[in-house]
Structure formats: C-alpha cells, structure tokens
Amino acid sequence: MTPELTALTLAALLQVVQYVLMAVPANLELGPGKTLSPRDPGRLGQPLIDQVSPGTGRLFRALNNHFEGLILFTIACVVVTLADQSTPVTAACAFTYLAARVLYIPAYYFGWVPWRSLIWAVGFLATTLMLLAALL
C-alpha cells in the first residue's frame, strides 16, 4: 500500500472516531426517543444539531467538515496512487492532511480562533499540493 493510501485509511478510521465522539454525547443529551426515531421534521421541531449542547454541536460540525474534506483527499490519494506518482512529497502531504484533521477536532471543539481555520487550511493546502504533484 502506498503511504497516501495508508494515510487515507487512517483518515477513514479517524472519521469513525469522530462519529463516536459526536454520537455518544448526542445520544446522552437527546435520548433514544429522538436519536432512534426516523427524525421527521414535524416530530423533532428542529434539527438535532440545534438541540444539543454547543460542544456536541461543534463535534457534529467537525464530523461533517471531515466528510467534505475527505472527498477531495480521497481523490488526491487515488490519483497519486493510480498515476504511480507517489513521492516523499505526496506522502508528506498525505500525513500532513491527517495530522491537520486530528488537530482540527480539538480546535473546533474548544473554539480555537483563528487556529481552527489555520489548521483546516493546512489540510486543504496539503491535499491541493498532492493533486498538483500528480500532474507534474
């Protein structure tokens, strides 16, 4: 497995961890009546994210942000691997993305301003550099 695919696999496992970090407090705060329901808007009154504590809401948004970032990162890893363009630079970028995503969770949860945005930018830049490196 290329280093980029290893980083991608670890990023997917991080997504699992993030899901648990969000789901456990959400279930404790909302109770099974809401979390096990079909979540029809008429029954809930408002989205679940609006009914949880600020910290749990931040964990929910961090999880969704990682889903969004993971799409582009997956494309970068697959392109680099299939094009046989894996280099120490692309491997470093892949693990930089992963490190940024790990740091992003506490940065979002604790509201680190402007660090959360800077950490996000590092991961985005690392992904972009992987895509550009694949073209060279």
Side-chain angles (χ1 to χ4, degrees), residues 25-130:
N27 277 282
L28 291 173
E29 292 173 25
L30 298 170
K34 288 186 180 179
T35 59
L36 295 177
S37 76
R39 300 180 188 167
D40 296 326
R43 183 177 190 283
L44 293 177
Q46 60 182 335
L48 291 182
I49 191 171
D50 295 336
Q51 299 179 44
V52 295
S53 67
T56 302
R58 288 177 179 177
L59 290 171
F60 189 93
R61 291 188 299 278
L63 173 70
N64 284 339
N65 184 273
H66 192 196
F67 273 117
E68 295 166 2
L70 199 54
I71 293 167
L72 191 58
F73 182 65
T74 300
I75 293 168
C77 290
V78 170
V79 167
V80 164
T81 300
L82 292 179
D84 200 26
Q85 295 292 324
S86 179
T87 66
V89 170
T90 58
C93 286
F95 283 98
T96 297
Y97 169 87
L98 181 62
R101 293 314 310 186
V102 168
L103 291 172
Y104 189 80
I105 300 165
Y108 209 136
Y109 182 77
F110 293 112
W112 298 343
V113 176
W115 305 111
R116 176 185 63 88
S117 296
L118 293 173
I119 291 167
W120 176 88
V122 167
F124 185 76
L125 179 62
T127 302
T128 302
L129 290 174
M130 287 176 67

